Amino acid sequence: MRFNIHTHSEHSHDAAVTIDALCERAVAENLSGFAVTDHCDCEYAADPLTFTRLLDSCDDTLRARARYGDRLVIAAGVEIGEALYDRDFARKVIAARPWDVVLGSVHAVRWPGWEIPFSMIDFSGCDDAFLQAYLRRYYDDLREMAETEDYDVLCHLTVPLRYLCGKFGRRVETAVYDGQIDGILRVVIERGKTLEVNTSGCTAERPYFMPDEAILDRYLAMGGRNLTVGSDAHTAERLTNGLAQAEAMLRKKGVTELTYYLRRQPVVYRI
Ligand SMILES: [Zn+2]
Ligand SMILES: [Zn+2]
């Protein structure tokens, strides 16, 4: 069996693929099922589209389930981004539909003057001290989100590195955040939540997991058992990107079971 807990459709601001096209691709690629998890970026709560798009996403997903449900498990999900920006809005979205899974993410840290997704920030002119402080704030925000907000799966832990290192080629000392990261992993374990292995950065030649293997090793050593894989696909072509690589990597670590969600309850399957 193979599931994908994390995908985006035309109901996300940064994707154009229809849910039907994702379903067709899933069938063609022999996926057992996937969750549609469109963006709810809470710093944009004032834009009415942020809310209505999510209702459309859920309604379309439920319609797709009626059409493809004999071939696929289709979960209606939402990716709550930076719930700390507007906790009431996050709660309103979660209450608005019968979601199968709620992803918890941080794409924008609470940094005065830069309250926008870090994917939109030009970090090229920032000095090392700034980058370090910014990253500390990311982990602090993620920790607070993980501790206080409603979610099932904590997503793409370490994602700012993709921009700082991948996009801007900055060298970042990562060991200095181990304490903060371990604190987040502990919260995930204690609250019975699930940690995502995000494969969006994988290429055929080179795996790239968020979080990386060193962090996953620490999660397992701490007793963390709930893991899920998500390609974070924004196109049909990338629907299964990296999933097999992640499963192979996890199997080598002795992981034999992964989790997806239905009606916000974990469902365990073997890999
Ligand atoms: Zn995300
Ligand atoms: Zn996403």
Side-chain angles (χ1 to χ4, degrees), residues 6 8 39 79 232 234:
H6 191 161
H8 295 275
H39 285 296
E79 181 179 9
D232 207 348
H234 287 63

Side-chain angles (χ1 to χ4, degrees), residues 6-8 12 14 37-39 79 103 105 107 155-156 196 198 231-234:
H6 191 161
T7 72
H8 295 275
S12 285
D14 53 357
T37 52
D38 281 309
H39 285 296
E79 181 179 9
L103 307 184
S105 299
H107 309 107
C155 285
H156 49 54
E196 178 196 51
N198 186 292
S231 73
D232 207 348
H234 287 63

Side-chain angles (χ1 to χ4, degrees), residues 12-30:
S12 285
H13 60 88
D14 53 357
V17 61
T18 63
I19 292 170
D20 273 9
L22 290 172
C23 291
E24 294 290 344
R25 185 79 178 200
V27 170
E29 302 236 18
N30 280 323

Side-chain angles (χ1 to χ4, degrees), residues 92-145:
K92 175 180 148 184
V93 168
I94 292 170
R97 283 294 184 271
W99 304 108
D100 289 304
V101 60
V102 174
L103 307 184
S105 299
V106 169
H107 309 107
V109 305
R110 291 177 297 175
W111 190 279
W114 271 8
E115 287 120 340
I116 55 172
F118 33 74
S119 60
M120 293 163 60
I121 294 175
D122 180 356
F123 290 103
S124 54
C126 302
D127 64 28
D128 289 347
F130 174 88
L131 294 184
Q132 206 169 89
Y134 188 87
L135 271 173
R136 281 210 179 286
R137 183 68 59 84
Y138 163 73
Y139 290 117
D140 282 344
D141 276 11
L142 192 62
R143 164 79 183 249
E144 189 175 333
M145 189 282 291

